[in-house]
Amino acid sequence: MDVLETSKLLDEELYSRQLYVLGLPAMQRLQGAKVLLSGLQGLGAEVAKNLVLMGVGSLTLHDPHPTCWSDLAAQFFLSEQDLGKSRAEASQELVARLNRAVQVCIHTGDITEDLLLDFQVVVLTASDLEEQLKVGTLCHKHRVCFLVADTRGLVGQLFCDFGENFTVQDPTGAEPLTAAIQHISQGSPGILTLREEDDLRNFRDVDLVTFSGIEGMVELNGCAPRPIHMQKDGTLEIGDTTTFSCYLRGGAVTEVKRPKTVSHKPLDAALLQPRMVAQSPQEVCRALSLHQAFRALHMFQRLNGHPPKPWDPVDADKVVDLARALKPLRRTDGKPLEEPLDEALVRTVALSSAGGLSPMAVMLGAVAAQEVLKAVSGKFMPLDQWLYFDALDCLPEDGELLPNPEDCSPRGCRYDGQIAVFGAGFQKKLSCQRYLLVGAGAIGCELLKGFALMGLGAASSGGVTVADMDHIERSNLSRQFLFRLQDIGVSACPSPYPMSRTVLLQCPLPPSIFLPSSQRPKAEVAAEATHRLNSDVKVTPLTDPLDPTTEHIYGDNFFSRVDGVVAAVDSFQARHYVATRCIHYLKPLLEAGMQGTLGSASVFIPHVTEVYKALGTDSEDASAPVCTVRHFPTKVVHTLQWARDEFEGLFRLSAETINRHQQAHTPLVDTSGPQFLTLLQVVLGVLRKRPQTWKDCVVWALGQWQLCFHYGIKQLLRRYPPDKVCKDGARFWSAPKLLPRPLEFDTSQDMHLLYVLAAANLYAQMHGLSGSQDKPALREMLKLLPLPDPQYLASAELDPEQKQGLHKALQVWSVGPPLQPLMFEKDDDSNFHMDFVAAAASLRAQNYGIPPANWTQSKRIVGKIIPAIATTAGAVAGLVGLELYKVVGMPRPLSAFRHSYLRLAENNFSRWIPPAPAVQTFHHVEWTWTCWDRLKVPAGQPERTLKSLLDHLQEKYGLRVKMLLQGSAQLYSVRWSPEKQAQCLSLRVTERVQQVTPCVPKPEQRVLVLELSCEGERDDTTFPPLHYEL
């Protein structure tokens, strides 16, 4: 098996989000991999799409069979124009367009032993069992990783054979655990105390560690992995430290990951002694029956020359008979398995097995592609060895409502594969749906593709609206497959700076640099691409955000034309808002999210399931207290927040402030505000005039280094000396505070140099000067420069003499063109923005003895980047598509629906029935309600008064209202004086609302939402909202 020899560049901008999932070594191995994929129906197309988007080195397609109508329900590379053509040949060009860096080839002959030797991984989809056994035996013999993937209607199968001694370098893909050290004792064993108690839980299952950044006991820094043992008091034994130096301060302990070895059986053995990936014994039993069902389907095909006909009871009975007659399965120890065959399950599989469904292909194709990635990269645990996934819960529970053979017979249309499972009547219902999709990112693109293949909204009365305010960036292209390079409006002009952090893999050619010219909105491009997949599906793009500021757009009229909502957004705040709109308008909500290899899909149905609860809303964007960030950081996120604030103050706010005063012709000397002066003195720094040369910028940057990491710390220690004692007798510098120490500038330290390089270049950019990337020249320049003395800049307040000097300097310095404020941009690695933040945060961490983040970690944290990969996006989109079938087929009971959670890295696939909405009661009345209910009161003609509204609530519901609110404004309260009550009660409700709020009901507004509090309510009582119908 040869590794691809073609040298190429690793495009870190393109794969930026994926690199956070895989890491650089795994990504490099993926780019050198050669994969053979046989079978280009829907499932094969999904595997191909994922592999090419992720950047596999070479993909060879094999499928000489002609395209037929049933393929089009799940194979998005094919269209009506390809009917009769070879699937592989018809698909090749469109597959290649996804990523021109990937070699996409076609093999037209048979799969031979010699052919297999050219590949590291072979994937068979839509193949017969005889072919699987033949190819599987050869692959096992030659240590070629082998996968079988197949879907039959609502059931999918995946098998992996990576050989008898496959090494997994990183089983979980998680960042190695690291924690700050509080103390290490000298002894045998040495005892390590962690600084944060929360870190103790993480280290319980860690067996090997190493150390870094320790002062004093330096013998541990970079040592060979040492075993640890957690003691009852939460400290860690780390081995003999008797002869080591005395521990002084700082340092971090870091987990050392151990590779694991996996042993797989070849297919012929694993077929009779299957090892199942399942989350419970019940799932194992179900998987074993599904295993036998697939074997029986293969046998039926071999005996009859065709698969079972759609929903044909005679063919289904034959499949059950074949399954019943199969040789019994055995356990891994050779003993017979005693689990009985679930004949009803086998029969249902057989009845619905003739179809091909897009959501099933997407789900299984994502998992299969992830296994290919595991095979070539050695990252994440591979499946051991069989995975069965079924979504038979999509079928009606009532047997009388199941499709019939006539309704599921082929129509000669693109939906034949789907009609074979659900019937033509259901297909018509799908086509009339009107759905809103919020978010056109990675998951959103997958969902739109699924909508097109399913025919969602394809009728004249149906349609899909996609809302997304973002524009396409180059980093989107590795997972948001509806977008292409031309959609970001790029030109191939050379950049004035070389591409930073692009990894050269033995390539003599320079990388192509693409400069953005006009980024297009995601919603518009995604709508156009979806229409090309299926011209019958009407997709309306909206680029307005879905939030409280646009309720005039996404209001009553809009939602009255929507049957359901699908949310694929990347923040809890956005999800929460979308969910509140769905609750308000009683619309079903399908929601999906991902982070790296973690994914989730959820369904929320009015009056059937619980509503969405955004658990992360409160803490998602929470910032640390200002004093903690400025003076008392304890975590790396504090140092990064401080560095980010430094960037804003030095390179954006200062320039904007000065420009504003220059444009207003306000002399800077007349400006005496303390905040303004403080801002300007750091911009001037140690310079007394406007910078004119690169050297001036370097001098300023060096002075800023001295200010931040030397004199500033000295000033803090003068204010709070190390031996300071608080009034209660406790030491001021005690946990959780960390005692800082000033750093000494050293040109030999790379992080010192990087800070000055980045700061000087940013300062030059702000002043319209040329910068430099020549680190050796900068190092030599710094050796010759005297260290500036910016002590006066460290003072929080300026005395009159200092103010006068600053005013005088500013008068000279402010003469010149406007400054260029720098807007922080995390995705351009050549602009020095992230270099500055990463270096500043690292030096700040050194000040306080905090284990620093590396450059990549800093970018992820500061940029709030969500690690993402195409496989996870596909998997959760497939899961959402399956729930969509159920929502469209309403009414369905709670037991039909599933929340899903998956961890592709660790083969965890969990699906469970969502909780029902909690029922609330109020002892003063006899009725009950849930979170989906509301009290509806018509305004009437003429409109009722506030008194009439309160009387109505008491008469109809038995509620004596104590307080009535519209938002935060009080419309009524029993605590008011009788005079005020009488004055308000006589007003019409809308008059009272306009009296206490700035809101005037718009003509198209149909409802005013009011909140009420009633006599006799308990603390845990939440009354339904009052919908006052206008």
Side-chain angles (χ1 to χ4, degrees), residues 209-267:
V209 297
T210 189
F211 304 86
S212 62
I214 295 174
E215 296 182 25
M217 197 175 285
V218 294
E219 295 87 347
L220 286 174
N221 289 331
C223 68
R226 296 171 70 92
I228 61 171
H229 176 67
M230 180 168 285
Q231 299 186 244
K232 292 181 179 179
D233 62 357
T235 58
L236 302 175
E237 292 183 0
I238 63 169
D240 190 358
T241 60
T242 306
T243 61
F244 291 174
S245 307
C246 182
Y247 174 83
L248 294 179
R249 61 169 259 161
V253 56
T254 303
E255 170 192 14
V256 176
K257 292 192 171 186
R258 282 184 172 180
K260 292 186 178 181
T261 301
V262 172
S263 179
H264 283 169
K265 293 180 180 180
L267 178 60

Side-chain angles (χ1 to χ4, degrees), residues 734-1030:
S734 59
K737 291 189 183 72
L738 301 176
L739 177 65
R741 61 161 190 173
L743 303 181
E744 300 293 336
F745 185 78
D746 184 351
T747 57
S748 66
Q749 295 291 320
D750 289 341
M751 202 56 67
H752 296 204
L753 187 70
L754 179 61
Y755 178 91
V756 174
L757 177 72
N761 271 283
L762 295 173
Y763 197 63
Q765 293 173 26
M766 191 170 72
H767 291 87
L769 302 174
S770 297
S772 170
Q773 297 191 53
D774 191 339
K775 286 186 179 181
L778 176 61
R779 199 184 300 271
E780 293 303 314
M781 181 190 295
L782 289 170
K783 290 179 181 178
L784 301 176
L785 287 177
L787 282 177
D789 183 8
Q791 290 190 61
Y792 68 93
L793 295 178
S795 174
E797 297 182 3
L798 300 179
D799 58 35
E801 184 178 347
Q802 289 173 324
K803 286 184 180 180
Q804 185 177 3
L806 178 62
H807 282 309
K808 184 177 180 181
L810 285 172
Q811 282 185 299
V812 177
W813 179 84
S814 62
V815 176
L819 301 183
Q820 178 60 50
L822 304 183
M823 308 302 292
F824 183 76
E825 172 50 61
K826 67 180 184 300
D827 287 324
D828 181 358
D829 292 348
S830 67
N831 62 11
F832 292 102
H833 294 196
M834 270 309 309
D835 289 331
F836 174 84
V837 171
S842 180
L843 293 168
R844 185 73 164 177
Q846 291 180 39
N847 279 136
Y848 286 86
I850 299 170
N854 60 33
W855 193 95
T856 302
Q857 292 168 334
S858 299
K859 180 176 179 178
R860 177 177 59 81
I861 296 170
V862 171
K864 298 181 180 179
I865 294 174
I866 299 176
I869 192 167
T871 48
T872 312
V876 297
L879 293 168
V880 168
L882 293 171
E883 296 306 307
L884 179 60
Y885 284 139
K886 305 170 189 178
V887 176
V888 173
M890 290 286 283
R892 297 291 300 275
L894 177 66
S895 59
F897 297 99
R898 298 291 185 272
H899 287 336
S900 300
Y901 178 77
L902 54 85
R903 300 172 67 96
L904 293 180
E906 300 169 74
N907 308 315
N908 185 307
F909 305 91
S910 300
R911 301 179 76 215
W912 66 97
I913 298 173
V919 177
Q920 297 194 54
T921 61
F922 184 42
H923 65 278
H924 282 256
V925 296
E926 297 181 356
W927 54 276
T928 61
W929 69 92
T930 73
C931 48
W932 292 104
D933 289 309
R934 64 280 318 279
L935 303 174
K936 295 183 179 181
V937 179
Q941 288 294 336
E943 184 191 351
R944 67 173 73 239
T945 63
L946 186 58
K947 182 179 185 306
S948 171
L949 173 62
L950 300 182
D951 290 343
H952 178 83
L953 291 173
Q954 183 171 355
E955 292 170 6
K956 184 171 182 178
Y957 298 104
L959 300 177
R960 298 178 62 87
V961 177
K962 293 191 304 182
M963 184 182 298
L964 190 65
L965 302 173
Q966 207 272 326
S968 59
Q970 284 190 1
L971 304 183
Y972 169 79
S973 174
V974 294
R975 296 185 178 182
W976 289 346
S977 65
E979 294 78 14
K980 185 174 182 179
Q981 288 189 38
Q983 182 182 11
C984 295
L985 289 172
S986 62
L987 297 174
R988 303 195 187 282
V989 175
T990 54
E991 290 177 339
R992 178 57 183 156
V993 169
Q994 294 178 44
Q995 191 179 68
V996 297
T997 72
C999 301
V1000 178
K1002 299 177 176 61
E1004 67 273 12
Q1005 188 172 345
R1006 303 180 183 183
V1007 169
L1008 277 177
V1009 181
L1010 310 178
E1011 299 175 43
L1012 48 86
S1013 174
C1014 300
E1015 292 181 6
E1017 68 180 52
R1018 299 186 300 269
D1019 292 340
D1020 60 349
T1021 302
T1022 303
F1023 287 105
L1026 171 59
H1027 280 211
Y1028 185 68
E1029 298 174 336
L1030 301 176

Side-chain angles (χ1 to χ4, degrees), residues 20-23 170-176 257 379-381 597 905-906:
Y20 286 109
V21 182
L22 300 183
D170 184 355
T172 66
E175 288 277 348
K257 292 192 171 186
K379 186 154 188 168
F380 311 133
M381 286 296 293
T597 60
E906 300 169 74

Side-chain angles (χ1 to χ4, degrees), residues 19-31:
L19 277 166
Y20 286 109
V21 182
L22 300 183
L24 187 56
M27 191 65 215
Q28 291 172 336
R29 289 192 287 270
L30 177 63
Q31 282 207 312

